[in-house]
Amino acid sequence: MSLVAKNALLALLITVLIIGTVFYAIEYLDRRRAAEVSAIANRLLTDTLSLETQFSLLEDAPCETLGKGGLLSELSDLGERLSFTEERLGSDDTEVKELKKQYTLLEIRDYLLTKRLASACKLNPVTVLYFYANSEDCETCDRAGYALSYLRETYPTLRVYSFDYTLELGALATLVAVEKIEKDLPAFVIQGKTHYGFTNIDELKSRLPEELLETATSTPTEDIEL
Amino acid sequence: MNLEILAYPFLFVAMYFEVFLLITLLSAPARAARGRPLLAEETLPSVAVVVPCFNEAGTIGDTVESLLGLRYPKERLSLILVDDGSTDDTLRELRRFERHSQVTVLQKENGGKHTALNAGIAAAPYAEFIACLDADSLVAPDSLRYVVSCFRHPQVAAATGSLSIHEPRGLLGHLQYGEYFFSITLRHIISSINGLYVTPGPLSVYRRSVIQEVGGFRHGHQTEDMEMALRIQRAGYRIENALLARVFTKAPRTLRSLLRQRIRWTSGFLRNMTGEYRDLLWNPRFGVLGLLVLPLGLVSVAGGILLFCLAIWTLIRRMADFYVLSSGIPLDYALVPQSLDIFYAPASATLLLALIAVTVALGFIVLGKRLSRTKGPIRYGLAAYALCYGIIAPLWLMRAAADVATGTHRTWR
């Protein structure tokens, strides 16, 4: 075999190895991301359980201890990481689907805990339940989601819970049934009232209570008060 | 459909070629070429250096001065300066040097560079070797000795030097400065396995007997140096490269002149490859040239255009998506990244492969500088090459491909 042929074959072997390593490394990184998201979700699950337990223990006076509680900022961070991971691994990835279910359950539990705290402590948090689907089933969901992210940053007291309408999860199906959400997405439940469709951010803002709009800040806070 | 998939074959080919080059660089023929000794002074052959000139009054003086400074026995070196019907003061400049016994000045009607070269060759029937040098280039004192030292084997028909940009200025100057060092490495490696298909105007030396055998220079779609090299390869000869034969040329200073030059080179290559020299492609008789170098030359044109279009399309699509997404959202929120966490690093196989390919290319630039023992900083060249080459090169690739597809022919200048 000539020198050139030998070099050509060796180069092919090395190239395949390099490219294989690159693809493996990227897949490994994506799996590490998913693992990180899973670790955060597990930690939040523990925190949620702790909050719920505290709430039960302090039934008579939960407000002083838990008034500043809630895990929404951590949940938002988890949601963003999960969304990025979903972009990387795809919506059909089994691990992503499981993480989304875990995340959805955490959101529902936080939402319920918030409601209980609000009732016990006589608070009136502004809550948005946002139901979406992927862009094939919902053309304006990406825009609505982005607008809500902006509103959440701008109005720190706004609590946004995002739910993938198409996710197969019993608790989510129950929430959809309880809130009577139809498949006309995007759908928003704001202060108990259901709205469908998204045209622009101003229209969405007009659905929010006026007292919330007076709380705008340029520096979003970490701890979200109820 | 994810259009990124279209980039994978080209990234694979680019990666493969770079790995092949690196392996070949370490192989015995390349090592031998790096250690090639100079011919002893008493054995140096007679050489006629032909300098074709057309309206080169501004540069020809320095070029001839550098030729007169060559460390080569005077009795075996003649300079044939050919004025190809210039309309400026080129002829007067050339006449200044007639007092030197080595210098012969010819004047002829304008007929193109190839005709000027042939006139010069015809005027030096005594020379064993013919060297060609562009009128905007300068040679280092030992360059000719290094090049003629390549002709130890009778199968070697031509040899080239290592070309650099003379006094690079501005972004385009440094961009070409880096690019030419990349070419030095590439030419050194490819020549060691006889894959060269260009004997560049700035200092290439030919065995006179081979020129007589294959015929003189032709128009060659305005790339007479490429056409001659392809003809030599087709005749079964070798083309060598002298790594330490330093030649310096003046780079086009404006984008317009750079594009014009590169469109000429690229369209010349495409026309030669799709025309008279099509039979060399995929032809095992021509070894690495036919099976790898020439096909990859075509793939690089197609890949450069496709990857550029893909990048532009992705950019436009992302901008459009961003515009729609952020409609009504204040820019101070929309334009500021929401998180700098490493978690969100946009690592993808395409990006990583492209980064590896660019890093190796930059490594070749540094290597070219070291192998050719060129002094001076290279950082601006590296930066300009890394940041701008991928944006500017596709412009001439697209234009050249369009010219060939539509049968458009351009003037030299």
Side-chain angles (χ1 to χ4, degrees):
Chain A
M1 191 187 284
S2 72
L3 173 87
V4 173
K6 264 191 232 168
N7 286 357
L9 280 177
L10 186 59
L12 184 64
L13 184 69
I14 294 173
T15 307
V16 169
L17 276 175
I18 291 173
I19 291 178
T21 307
V22 164
F23 276 95
Y24 176 79
I26 295 297
E27 174 70 13
Y28 177 75
L29 272 178
D30 286 338
R31 291 293 160 200
R32 282 292 300 272
R33 281 195 182 103
E36 192 178 324
V37 170
S38 178
I40 295 171
N42 285 334
R43 184 170 52 76
L44 284 183
L45 182 65
T46 309
D47 290 350
T48 307
L49 277 172
S50 172
L51 272 177
E52 286 172 350
T53 310
Q54 276 180 283
F55 189 86
S56 301
L57 289 169
L58 301 166
E59 258 183 38
D60 294 334
C63 303
E64 272 183 31
T65 313
L66 303 177
K68 291 200 172 187
L71 299 163
L72 200 61
S73 65
E74 288 92 335
L75 264 178
S76 298
D77 178 55
L78 174 65
E80 278 162 19
R81 285 171 194 266
L82 179 56
S83 171
F84 186 77
T85 308
E86 185 179 1
E87 239 175 71
R88 304 281 317 159
L89 293 172
S91 311
D92 295 332
D93 185 88
T94 318
E95 201 172 355
V96 167
K97 277 184 182 170
E98 283 308 308
L99 285 170
K100 279 184 86 169
K101 286 178 184 174
Q102 228 177 325
Y103 172 65
T104 303
L105 279 176
L106 281 168
E107 283 197 302
I108 294 172
R109 292 173 84 154
D110 189 76
Y111 168 62
L112 294 175
L113 184 63
T114 301
K115 271 176 73 170
R116 287 169 69 193
L117 273 169
S119 164
C121 305
K122 305 275 184 289
L123 296 168
N124 188 25
V126 180
T127 305
V128 176
L129 301 184
Y130 165 52
F131 295 87
Y132 68 92
N134 62 37
S135 53
E136 284 162 19
D137 296 325
C138 172
E139 279 183 10
T140 55
C141 281
D142 284 346
R143 287 174 58 208
Y146 190 72
L148 277 171
S149 296
Y150 165 69
L151 291 174
R152 193 168 52 199
E153 290 283 321
T154 312
Y155 306 107
T157 54
L158 180 66
R159 304 181 73 87
V160 179
Y161 298 96
S162 308
F163 301 104
D164 182 347
Y165 189 89
T166 58
L167 194 68
E168 290 172 5
L169 182 69
L172 179 62
T174 306
L175 181 68
V176 167
V178 168
E179 298 291 344
K180 298 184 179 66
I181 306 298
E182 292 168 20
K183 202 183 175 181
D184 181 16
L185 304 174
F188 309 86
V189 180
I190 302 171
Q191 301 297 81
K193 194 176 171 193
T194 307
H195 307 263
Y196 291 96
F198 176 82
T199 47
N200 57 53
I201 190 166
D202 292 331
E203 187 217 18
L204 185 58
K205 272 166 86 173
S206 71
R207 295 167 180 171
L208 298 171
E210 277 183 16
E211 59 268 26
L212 172 83
L213 302 179
E214 288 160 9
T215 64
T217 177
S218 56
T219 49
T221 55
E222 280 299 315
D223 293 316
I224 298 174
E225 292 182 27
L226 288 174
Chain B
M1 180 193 171
N2 185 1
L3 291 177
E4 226 174 68
I5 292 169
L6 294 175
Y8 288 149
F10 294 102
L11 286 172
F12 178 87
V13 169
M15 190 72 66
Y16 173 75
F17 190 52
E18 288 184 339
V19 173
F20 177 78
L21 289 176
L22 283 170
I23 294 171
T24 307
L25 175 75
L26 300 174
S27 299
R31 290 204 307 270
R34 289 195 287 280
R36 185 189 292 126
L38 280 174
L39 284 176
E41 188 161 335
E42 60 276 13
T43 61
L44 289 172
S46 62
V47 180
V49 183
V50 179
V51 186
C53 313
F54 177 71
N55 290 351
E56 304 281 4
T59 59
I60 187 63
D62 290 342
T63 301
V64 180
E65 294 285 359
S66 78
L67 284 170
L68 290 169
L70 280 171
R71 279 197 277 269
Y72 206 89
K74 279 191 169 43
E75 67 281 7
R76 274 171 270 166
L77 177 66
S78 59
L79 310 181
I80 315 292
L81 314 178
V82 186
D83 175 40
D84 188 24
S86 297
T87 53
D88 66 355
D89 283 339
T90 299
L91 187 60
R92 189 187 300 169
E93 278 291 309
L94 296 181
R95 297 268 186 233
R96 281 203 302 124
F97 296 99
E98 275 187 313
R99 67 179 188 281
H100 296 276
S101 58
Q102 294 168 278
V103 173
T104 304
V105 175
L106 301 179
Q107 206 235 338
K108 62 183 275 298
E109 275 186 23
N110 182 252
K113 188 178 170 187
H114 64 293
T115 63
L117 285 167
N118 289 335
I121 294 167
Y126 47 83
E128 203 179 334
F129 289 89
I130 301 293
C132 298
L133 183 72
D134 284 350
D136 60 355
S137 304
L138 309 169
V139 289
D142 282 327
S143 55
L144 191 58
R145 283 188 68 173
Y146 277 113
V147 183
V148 296
S149 295
C150 294
F151 289 89
R152 288 168 192 274
H153 195 283
Q155 276 301 102
V156 178
T160 68
S162 287
L163 189 58
S164 286
I165 295 296
H166 181 59
E167 295 175 354
R169 281 182 205 156
L171 177 70
L172 289 179
H174 286 287
L175 173 86
Q176 293 171 82
Y177 190 63
E179 182 200 16
Y180 274 54
F181 280 120
F182 180 90
S183 296
I184 285 176
T185 307
L186 189 67
R187 195 172 292 125
H188 163 61
I189 298 170
I190 291 293
S191 68
S192 72
I193 45 175
N194 196 29
L196 289 184
Y197 64 90
V198 186
T199 39
L203 197 60
S204 290
V205 179
Y206 303 87
R207 203 182 282 279
R208 187 188 175 81
S209 58
V210 174
I211 291 184
Q212 283 169 334
E213 181 189 325
V214 301
F217 282 91
R218 297 177 190 162
H219 182 265
H221 307 289
Q222 294 184 324
T223 46
E224 78 298 323
D225 48 2
M226 183 186 297
E227 196 279 336
M228 175 59 93
L230 289 168
R231 209 158 4 123
I232 287 171
Q233 287 281 13
R234 185 189 264 165
Y237 290 103
R238 288 186 64 87
I239 299 175
E240 289 284 358
N241 171 250
L243 197 50
L244 297 178
R246 306 298 287 116
V247 192
F248 303 90
T249 192
K250 285 172 186 161
R253 288 193 177 167
T254 63
L255 183 61
R256 187 185 160 84
S257 56
L258 175 66
L259 289 179
R260 185 170 278 275
Q261 179 195 56
R262 300 312 173 90
I263 290 168
R264 180 166 58 79
W265 291 356
T266 311
S267 61
F269 170 70
L270 293 175
R271 286 190 165 110
N272 280 314
M273 281 302 101
T274 53
E276 196 182 346
Y277 295 96
R278 192 191 298 181
D279 60 302
L280 269 66
L281 285 167
W282 304 115
N283 191 336
R285 192 160 73 83
F286 300 104
V288 75
L289 179 78
L291 293 177
L292 197 68
V293 177
L294 293 176
L296 281 184
L298 290 177
V299 170
S300 70
V301 174
I305 294 171
L306 186 126
L307 291 177
F308 181 73
C309 292
L310 207 58
I312 293 291
W313 167 249
T314 306
L315 185 69
I316 290 172
R317 205 186 56 187
R318 287 197 178 166
M319 282 170 72
D321 285 350
F322 177 76
Y323 177 76
V324 171
L325 200 65
S326 62
S327 173
I329 310 282
L331 283 178
D332 61 351
Y333 173 82
L335 291 178
V336 176
Q338 295 307 301
S339 176
L340 295 175
D341 194 319
I342 195 153
F343 181 92
Y344 297 103
S348 70
T350 314
L351 187 67
L352 204 52
L353 287 172
L355 272 177
I356 294 172
V358 170
T359 306
V360 175
L362 296 179
F364 279 150
I365 290 176
V366 175
L367 196 62
K369 183 174 174 295
R370 294 191 70 155
L371 288 174
S372 61
R373 298 182 195 165
T374 306
K375 292 184 174 64
I378 187 70
R379 55 183 179 275
Y380 296 123
L382 287 171
Y385 185 88
L387 298 175
C388 303
Y389 195 78
I391 300 168
I392 297 176
L395 301 179
W396 69 68
L397 295 180
M398 285 190 287
R399 195 59 188 260
D403 280 1
V404 173
T406 58
T408 305
H409 292 269
R410 294 173 191 279
T411 54
W412 190 286
R413 292 179 184 180

